[in-house]
Amino acid sequence: MIKKPSFHEHTHAHTGGGSAATVDSAALLRSLGFRVTPGRLALLALLEAAGTPLSVQDVSKKWQGTKSPDIATLYRSLTDLQVAGIVQRIDLGTGTAHFEYTPTRPHHHHIICNGCGAVEELEHCTLVGLEDQLLITSRQFKSIYSHNLEFFGQCTRCAIKK
Amino acid sequence: MIKKPSFHEHTHAHTGGGSAATVDSAALLRSLGFRVTPGRLALLALLEAAGTPLSVQDVSKKWQGTKSPDIATLYRSLTDLQVAGIVQRIDLGTGTAHFEYTPTRPHHHHIICNGCGAVEELEHCTLVGLEDQLLITSRQFKSIYSHNLEFFGQCTRCAIKK
DNA sequence: ACACTATTGCAAATAATTTGCGTTAGTGTA
DNA sequence: TACACTAACGCAAATTATTTGCAATAGTGT
């Protein structure tokens, strides 16, 4: 069960438009009703800097400066942030959840290497139109909120090795 | 680590073409180098009859007639069958692996209801062209083997409840 | 400075998945 | 059909991922 913060203001702090360079994490957290803690700030900074989806383990290992927050805290934070919409949960086929920071990057997908697990980020997603189309055909569904799409293949490096 | 069977013949027993109505599971297993056991046959039959992706738990519960195989056996079988290509592993966003029988159905995707978890199967996938396109742009990848695509939304029933 | 409660750490509980190992049972061959 | 070989299975135990309870700590608004 996820404890919901009281939403004072529910306005995302997105810079709007395509030039979302940097985001004031403190303001972002506040605008979502979260308290601004060192842990949350560092978590967002780490996720943003990583640029690639991270598992809880990854986050804990990459944590710098201070001691990493407890794993339970990381799970709680990431889940809350995901519900709030500034972090996306992604399945890379590894069986463990990975999280990606979304405010500064447009919606996109990935290719994962079956050999070494390398992840490459793909350009803009072109599935929005498809969603509308699907809803016309669907018997049971009247709305689509999101989708997950990941490709699996072999990266150049692994292709050479084999 | 997955124990690989010795592949006597590595020819899939697919009926070829689009009219893959029923498949002789025994022959299919044999052609993939697996032994034909009652457990495997029942597993394939169950998966095919279900028509929807099942978790290991689901399989165990739906098992009929004889006592369900041990969970460890189910995991081993499903993983082997997945590697062999006649079962696909799917992520429905639940955090647990689901498996779907593929020989008799064309490649497709699903919509999952965020409310009740209902799964609807979508018509034919239209992403094949996109894969080729992606490979042109990709820096690190030269081949794509597969992809996962699932949509999440709200089904009519849940839309009414709320 | 103070009260209120979200957030965190720590330990313990669940759940999912994997692994080791001895036994059982398909398969090919004599 | 009997026999040897080894995949497949059951069972118990080990891992790994994720969640939950609870008391202590620390942001926030007043």
Side-chain angles (χ1 to χ4, degrees), chain B residues 1 30 35-36 72 75-76 96-97:
Chain B
M1 209 100 331
R30 237 185 300 272
R35 286 184 180 175
V36 179
Y75 273 106
R76 278 189 274 238
T96 67

Side-chain angles (χ1 to χ4, degrees), chain A residues 86-100:
Chain A
I86 59 178
V87 155
Q88 191 185 349
R89 182 184 168 142
I90 296 179
D91 174 63
L92 299 180
T94 58
T96 67
H98 285 247
F99 300 86
E100 192 169 50

Side-chain angles (χ1 to χ4, degrees), chain A residues 26-157:
Chain A
L28 178 57
L29 287 172
R30 238 185 299 272
S31 74
L32 291 169
F34 292 115
R35 287 186 179 172
V36 179
T37 70
R40 293 258 167 88
L41 290 174
L43 174 58
L44 291 180
L46 194 161
L47 281 177
E48 184 172 15
T52 172
L54 300 180
S55 68
V56 166
Q57 288 286 331
D58 295 335
V59 170
S60 189
K61 284 178 189 163
K62 283 177 181 268
W63 201 271
Q64 303 178 321
T66 58
K67 185 183 64 168
S68 168
D70 190 82
I71 281 185
T73 298
L74 290 179
Y75 273 106
R76 279 190 275 236
S77 295
L78 288 168
T79 304
D80 290 349
L81 295 172
Q82 183 218 325
V83 171
I86 59 178
V87 155
Q88 191 185 349
R89 182 184 168 142
I90 296 179
D91 174 63
L92 299 180
T94 58
T96 67
H98 285 247
F99 300 86
E100 192 169 50
Y101 184 75
T102 62
T104 49
R105 291 175 186 282
H107 172 65
H108 61 269
H109 301 291
H110 308 83
I111 307 186
I112 299 98
C113 178
N114 282 146
C116 65
V119 177
E120 181 175 304
E121 195 170 299
L122 300 174
E123 291 304 307
H124 311 285
C125 166
T126 57
L127 264 57
V128 187
L130 183 56
E131 291 191 351
D132 297 333
Q133 200 178 317
L134 289 177
L135 288 177
I136 298 174
T137 319
S138 175
R139 293 172 284 165
Q140 307 174 50
F141 286 77
K142 59 165 52 174
S143 57
I144 294 179
Y145 298 145
S146 64
H147 62 251
N148 285 345
L149 170 59
E150 313 303 332
F151 295 88
F152 299 89
Q154 188 173 46
C155 74
T156 318
R157 187 177 301 177

Side-chain angles (χ1 to χ4, degrees), chain A residues 5-26:
Chain A
S6 52
F7 283 59
H8 301 292
E9 286 182 87
H10 200 153
T11 315
H12 282 229
H14 292 191
T15 321
S19 61
T22 307
V23 168
D24 177 352
S25 293

